[in-house]
Amino acid sequence: MYDARYGIGTMTCSVYDTAWVANVTKTVNGNPQYLFPSSFMAILRAQSPDGHWEGHFNAETANLGCSPPSLTDSILSTMASLYTLALHAKHPYQIRANSVVNPPLEQRIRQAVTKLTRILGNWRIESCNAVGFEVLAPGLLDLLSAEGFEFDFPSKTQLLKLRDAKLARLSPEMMYKLGPSALLHSLEAFHGWGPEKLDMEKIKHHMVGGSMMASPAATASYLMKTKEWDDAAEAYLRLAIQCGEGQGSGCVPSAYPSTNFEILWMTSTFAEFSMCNNSYTSQALELVSGILERPGSSSTSLIGFAPGIEPDLDDSAKASIVMSLSGTLGFSEAIINNFNSSRCLKTYSGERDPSVSANCNALMSILVDQAEYEGKVAIIEKIVTFICASWVEAKGTINDKWNLSPHYTVMLISRSMVELLLKWSTGGLPLLDGHIISFQAAPLLLQCLTFTLSTQHYDGAWGEIGPFEETAYAVLALVSLSSLPLPPSLSRKVVLAIERGRNFLLKRGSAHCEFLWIEKITYGSRNLMDTYVITALNASLELLSEHGKKAASSGEVELDEMLTVHGEIEKMTGGVTGDHL
């Protein structure tokens, strides 16, 4: 649902965040009461018979046909929900025992403790990429300890070390400063701290539209701890319940609104795969210009996932891409100046692990931006080297911090590296070191091709979590790769794989969102899923410009020779069998 002030947000709802919202109390006529009892009831309905919570609500996961939710989803959601149940058992206020559906709270709590103890024992945090988990989980352990629940598990010492390292880079005192901090989005991690360690009154200036960095959980924590009641924060939480994907059910997502993120991902995807006519291009430019001109946007055009939120590399790169592909100059130089680091570009200041997908978007924004500036080629070489090194380090299946599917990252690598080859082959990067093409970009594209062809399932789908959104990612990767001067036999295999993938996508019907995207817990977005599926079904296999195709085919540049470095194509891909070849 669109709101004139806040925008849109179609991220699926989160048990974790809903549990935090259920804890908010307000004194009315001298009597304390829970402000959002519908959120508490949603938590009760979502509890599994064995006592844990899976992270998502049953109404959203019915008939999804996907693999089980991540263990981190279950752990964070069960911790937060157990804390909520403990608070309501201690202080029932207006929610009386007879209004709680069976089993009673005491039994629910015992079951939750038993199940949480078991799943914590299986948690391997070294592979966890959930947003802020290294501060959220320890914060919840402290809160549960204060309520009499102690948990010990093999990964606990490692978790606490990660928490300490995070706070050494981003101390809570940084939130007192004028500029926003990514910690604000996970403010609830410090809910157990007293005012001597974190003074809520000193971070009020970061409120945007009543929210704490567009996070319902962080805003709920702030509202519970602020000295004076904040009507704007209450109004924001009510709006997140009413206009978010929960549609008044009491459920909320991990972030609301996500206006910039959703609009930019939709418009940039259409633009990058040449899905835009003149009318759409004009509308896309107007949308992005409106985002950049909103109050609270950075003076350098850098933006975050929602209006007024801390700028990040990913959203800023997507905005610059749309601007460039709409016929105006992008702002990739400002992106480089703000997010550059020693090895690559960083998504946020102080982040623990860099993102391959965000660097792919940054690379694309630089390549399509017609603006020239000092150091442009050097940054391109740095990003390409980082992406290639990350592929090698991944040993065959590359994962990213923002999306669970390797096909998402391969799609972005394929599109950005094809753009690099096109720009280089047509003389657009005369200062680029040729070894970057010969020994990094071209071999990497062949490996992306091999990976994508070899992982298609018998029914034409891809992925282990999806299947529809993941299949769309893979089809779009092949659309990009089909632009390369491949041998005829290999080109036919690519076209056949695309056709079979598209036939599978036509079966989607009214399938639910797939929980591929990573926030505090995983989530899906119907807007993003629709965008990728529509683009995959309709994108042309001719991404190269007329000049680029002529250059590649006429011998003006020997692009096909570059693609055979480190072995002949047929040796690398001729053995690809998969289920379908």
Side-chain angles (χ1 to χ4, degrees):
M1 184 184 300
Y2 176 79
D3 180 83
R5 180 184 180 190
Y6 291 88
I8 61 172
T10 66
M11 290 171 56
T12 51
C13 290
S14 153
V15 167
Y16 169 85
D17 288 82
T18 301
W20 274 102
V21 171
N23 296 337
V24 177
T25 61
K26 182 180 183 180
T27 300
V28 179
N29 297 325
N31 298 312
Q33 62 182 34
Y34 289 107
L35 198 57
F36 306 109
S38 62
S39 298
F40 178 61
M41 294 303 175
I43 292 298
L44 294 181
R45 290 193 297 270
Q47 189 176 18
S48 299
D50 66 358
H52 82 293
W53 285 261
E54 291 188 346
H56 308 110
F57 291 94
N58 291 335
E60 294 173 348
T61 57
N63 304 316
L64 197 57
C66 300
S67 61
S70 76
L71 191 62
T72 302
D73 285 357
S74 296
I75 287 171
L76 290 177
S77 298
T78 301
M79 281 182 172
S81 297
L82 173 58
Y83 180 60
T84 295
L85 263 59
L87 292 185
H88 281 70
K90 184 192 296 184
H91 304 293
Y93 297 138
Q94 82 275 26
I95 303 177
R96 300 303 175 190
N98 58 11
S99 64
V100 175
V101 294
N102 282 326
L105 281 185
E106 291 74 14
Q107 182 178 338
R108 288 175 177 271
I109 289 171
R110 287 195 301 271
Q111 291 175 322
V113 169
T114 300
K115 183 64 176 181
L116 181 57
T117 301
R118 185 176 301 126
I119 58 178
L120 280 171
N122 297 325
W123 198 20
R124 299 295 175 262
I125 65 172
E126 59 271 9
S127 60
C128 180
N129 265 330
V131 173
F133 83 94
E134 63 269 52
V135 291
L136 296 174
L140 281 166
L141 287 172
D142 290 342
L143 292 174
L144 289 170
S145 176
E147 298 300 323
F149 305 107
E150 299 290 346
F151 297 93
D152 197 14
F153 50 96
S155 297
K156 186 173 183 179
T157 299
Q158 185 182 1
L159 175 65
L160 297 181
K161 287 181 179 178
L162 285 176
R163 187 262 318 270
D164 294 342
K166 176 91 169 190
L167 296 183
R169 294 193 309 271
L170 292 173
S171 66
E173 288 78 12
M174 293 179 65
M175 292 187 283
Y176 296 162
K177 298 180 179 179
L178 183 61
S181 165
L183 279 179
L184 292 166
H185 191 67
S186 303
L187 182 65
E188 70 275 15
F190 313 107
H191 191 76
W193 290 18
E196 71 284 354
K197 293 184 68 175
L198 181 62
D199 189 346
M200 290 291 176
E201 308 309 308
K202 293 182 179 180
I203 62 174
K204 280 188 174 183
H205 60 282
H206 290 305
M207 301 292 284
V208 176
S211 82
M212 194 61 72
M213 204 172 174
S215 166
T219 306
S221 176
Y222 158 79
L223 190 54
M224 284 186 275
K225 299 201 70 175
T226 188
K227 292 179 181 178
E228 295 182 4
W229 188 257
D230 193 321
D231 290 329
E234 177 185 345
Y236 162 77
L237 291 175
R238 291 192 182 280
L239 187 79
I241 290 173
Q242 191 63 39
C243 296
E245 281 294 276
Q247 296 292 292
S249 64
C251 307
V252 295
S254 287
Y256 180 87
S258 47
T259 309
N260 297 353
F261 168 61
E262 296 194 41
I263 289 176
L264 291 170
W265 257 247
M266 290 187 287
T267 55
S268 65
T269 299
F270 289 145
E272 289 177 52
F273 288 92
S274 303
M275 296 277 290
C276 307
N277 55 31
N278 290 337
S279 173
Y280 182 89
T281 299
S282 176
Q283 293 175 4
L285 185 59
E286 184 177 345
L287 274 173
V288 175
S289 296
I291 289 172
L292 297 176
E293 292 169 2
R294 284 195 185 105
S297 296
S298 168
S299 59
T300 58
S301 296
L302 304 176
I303 58 173
F305 69 85
I309 299 304
E310 179 186 7
D312 65 81
L313 172 62
D314 238 359
D315 289 282
S316 298
K318 286 292 193 180
S320 185
I321 289 170
V322 176
M323 298 290 284
S324 297
L325 294 180
S326 298
T328 187
L329 291 178
F331 46 91
S332 60
E333 184 177 14
I335 290 171
I336 294 168
N337 290 339
N338 279 270
F339 299 108
N340 197 13
S341 66
S342 58
R343 187 184 178 202
C344 57
L345 300 190
K346 55 189 176 183
T347 311
Y348 290 101
S349 61
E351 73 176 349
R352 182 167 55 92
D353 299 310
S355 165
V356 174
S357 69
N359 274 269
C360 287
N361 289 327
L363 176 60
M364 189 71 179
S365 74
I366 296 167
L367 293 170
V368 299
D369 188 355
Q370 296 302 310
E372 296 296 335
Y373 45 86
E374 184 178 356
K376 187 174 185 178
V377 171
I379 288 293
I380 291 173
E381 292 176 352
K382 176 195 282 190
I383 295 174
V384 172
T385 299
F386 164 72
I387 293 170
C388 291
S390 298
W391 181 278
V392 172
E393 292 168 6
K395 298 179 180 179
T397 303
I398 191 162
N399 294 308
D400 191 70
K401 66 190 297 179
W402 302 118
N403 192 293
L404 292 174
S405 174
H407 297 288
Y408 174 73
T409 309
V410 170
M411 172 189 69
L412 295 178
I413 292 174
S414 300
R415 183 64 189 91
S416 60
M417 292 296 175
V418 164
E419 190 68 27
L420 174 68
L421 286 180
L422 170 59
K423 196 169 184 68
W424 173 80
S425 70
T426 55
L429 294 169
L431 299 179
L432 184 73
D433 185 348
H435 284 75
I436 293 290
I437 299 296
S438 302
F439 294 97
Q440 294 190 32
L444 177 57
L445 282 170
L446 290 179
Q447 292 176 59
C448 287
L449 181 58
T450 304
F451 170 79
T452 306
L453 288 176
S454 65
T455 52
Q456 187 173 28
H457 301 316
Y458 180 78
D459 59 0
W462 276 272
E464 306 302 325
I465 305 173
F468 295 105
E469 191 169 334
E470 284 197 275
T471 297
Y473 299 157
V475 168
L476 289 173
L478 292 179
V479 167
S480 295
L481 295 165
S482 71
S483 300
L484 302 173
L486 303 173
S489 61
L490 182 55
S491 182
R492 286 192 293 271
K493 289 180 180 179
V494 171
V495 172
L496 176 61
I498 291 172
E499 289 177 353
R500 297 182 69 249
R502 285 176 167 173
N503 287 336
F504 178 82
L505 290 177
L506 291 173
K507 304 173 184 177
R508 180 172 68 123
S510 58
H512 289 272
C513 293
E514 298 161 6
F515 304 120
L516 297 168
W517 298 86
I518 301 172
E519 232 281 350
K520 294 174 184 177
I521 69 166
T522 58
Y523 70 95
S525 164
R526 51 191 167 86
N527 280 347
L528 298 187
M529 183 176 180
D530 288 347
T531 295
Y532 285 115
V533 170
I534 291 169
T535 306
L537 286 171
N538 295 282
S540 169
L541 304 192
E542 299 293 339
L543 278 178
L544 290 176
S545 67
E546 287 303 315
H547 178 73
K549 286 185 285 185
K550 289 177 181 177
S553 62
S554 68
E556 181 181 328
V557 289
E558 298 298 332
L559 186 56
D560 56 336
E561 291 184 10
M562 295 299 100
L563 287 170
T564 60
V565 173
H566 294 314
E568 299 174 4
I569 288 179
E570 289 296 343
K571 288 182 180 178
M572 295 184 68
T573 57
V576 174
T577 55
D579 298 345
H580 62 292
L581 298 178

